[in-house]
Amino acid sequence: MGKLNARVISFGRYRFTDMFLFAVILVAFELISYYAFASWFTDYADFIFSIVVPVTLLMMLRWGWYGMFYAVFDGLFYCMLYLLNMDGVTGTDVWHNLLIYGIGNAFIGLDYLMVHFVGYKRIQKRWWLTLLFTLAGWLCVALGRTAVAACVGFGFTTEFLIWDLLSLAMALVIMFIMRRSDGMMERQKDYLLRLQKEKEERWRIDTYGDDPIEISPEDIEALNKKGNDLFE
């Protein structure tokens, strides 16, 4: 009976839904943040209080190094907001901002080395590794933007550092909350297989009821055969 009530979805659809929802959350927060700063802090209207670091780190833990593209997308999205809301922007300003926030944000991909060599399980279970992982991700973005800014002629500026530190504080809060949430900092292949195993164990005890969503048996078999690349 429980089997009939379950909604079976493919692994590809689950992956798309998960990544899309995180993208929506990121865009919604950045929009609110940008226009809030423009209204409340007119002297800092070209800066936003961002959650790009925790969102990108979570996606790298869940789906692999592809998560770094969230940071690149966020940087380009910020540039679009900047160009649409600022007067007197020149072509040079456009390219400088695209390079600084696009390429600079991509430096967060270096933090995936920690996921690869340390493992997401240890990062999640040990608070000091969660702290180090978050700090490293924020530092990669900050140094990446600074390095690119220096290359295009802005020098090694520390302007708006206080706001970057506020973003770091938010990133730490979010990551420490997420490490307490089941499956949030877990590679999703392993998470789905774990849920399937737990469900089968429950069925051996009581066959009544079922989870509201399950992955099709074909995809479960495919997940067991997949390597670390979830997009193969």
Side-chain angles (χ1 to χ4, degrees):
M1 179 176 179
K3 198 76 172 178
L4 295 176
N5 292 331
R7 180 160 59 91
V8 179
I9 64 174
S10 67
F11 177 70
R13 183 177 178 183
Y14 174 85
R15 180 180 59 206
F16 172 80
T17 303
D18 185 77
M19 299 184 77
F20 178 75
L21 287 177
F22 273 91
V24 170
I25 292 171
L26 181 60
V27 169
F29 188 94
E30 303 296 73
L31 282 171
I32 295 171
S33 174
Y34 183 90
Y35 288 106
F37 265 82
S39 299
W40 300 338
F41 304 100
T42 56
D43 292 336
Y44 302 95
D46 57 346
F47 186 80
I48 59 175
F49 178 61
S50 179
I51 61 168
V52 62
V53 170
V55 169
T56 302
L57 294 180
L58 285 173
M59 296 312 292
M60 288 199 300
L61 289 170
R62 294 166 71 86
W63 297 110
W65 66 270
Y66 306 93
M68 65 172 281
F69 290 110
Y70 279 74
V72 176
F73 166 76
D74 181 81
L76 298 178
F77 183 66
Y78 163 76
C79 292
M80 182 190 72
L81 292 177
Y82 178 81
L83 296 174
L84 291 176
N85 292 277
M86 292 296 170
D87 297 326
V89 178
T90 66
T92 302
D93 293 331
V94 173
W95 281 109
H96 284 172
N97 277 277
L98 289 175
L99 291 173
I100 292 171
Y101 288 95
I103 298 178
N105 281 14
F107 275 64
I108 198 172
L110 294 173
D111 205 22
Y112 185 73
L113 292 173
M114 186 171 175
V115 180
H116 181 74
F117 290 106
V118 177
Y120 75 84
K121 292 182 180 179
R122 295 180 64 192
I123 293 174
Q124 178 190 21
K125 291 180 180 179
R126 302 183 181 182
W127 69 267
W128 61 273
L129 285 176
T130 302
L131 174 65
L132 181 61
F133 183 60
T134 308
L135 286 172
W138 175 83
L139 192 60
C140 285
V141 172
L143 292 180
R145 291 174 180 173
T146 301
V148 176
C151 290
V152 298
F154 283 97
F156 288 93
T157 178
T158 58
E159 190 176 6
F160 309 129
L161 178 60
I162 183 63
W163 303 115
D164 285 334
L165 291 175
L166 288 175
S167 294
L168 171 61
M170 176 60 74
L172 290 171
V173 170
I174 292 174
M175 292 298 288
F176 274 90
I177 291 176
M178 291 298 100
R179 71 184 292 267
R180 296 287 186 177
S181 303
D182 183 42
M184 291 302 298
M185 292 178 62
E186 187 172 355
R187 190 173 63 163
Q188 290 305 282
K189 168 193 171 182
D190 297 343
Y191 173 66
L192 293 173
L193 291 174
R194 177 169 63 83
L195 289 184
Q196 180 70 14
K197 182 178 180 180
E198 292 174 354
K199 181 174 63 177
E200 291 173 353
E201 291 176 351
R202 289 198 302 270
W203 281 352
R204 283 195 288 267
I205 300 174
D206 185 355
T207 58
Y208 178 77
D210 198 1
D211 294 323
I213 294 178
E214 66 173 277
I215 302 300
S216 63
E218 293 80 6
D219 279 318
I220 291 296
E221 182 179 354
L223 284 176
N224 281 304
K225 297 179 180 178
K226 279 182 178 289
N228 291 330
D229 191 342
L230 300 183
F231 288 81
E232 289 181 340

